[in-house]
Amino acid sequence: MPLGAPVTLTIAGLSPRACSVRWRNDLHVGVAFIDLISYAELSAWLAGASHNN
């Protein structure tokens, strides 16, 4: 993936988010969010994740 490439990040329990590639190496890619996650959506997701552990 080239730096700056647009990507869609999909995480179970959250709606897909537009991002762009900021860094990469052989195994990992770092992204910057274009579409921010609202606090309400993030806190609900985190609350659900803590109940699954």
Side-chain angles (χ1 to χ4, degrees), residues 3-44:
L3 297 180
V7 295
T8 300
L9 180 65
T10 304
I11 299 171
L14 292 174
S15 58
R17 296 283 184 232
C19 300
S20 63
V21 175
R22 293 296 184 207
W23 60 265
R24 59 185 164 78
N25 63 29
D26 292 337
L27 300 174
H28 301 94
V29 174
V31 299
F33 289 96
I34 296 169
D35 295 335
L36 299 179
I37 300 171
S38 72
Y39 180 78
E41 185 178 7
L42 180 61
S43 63

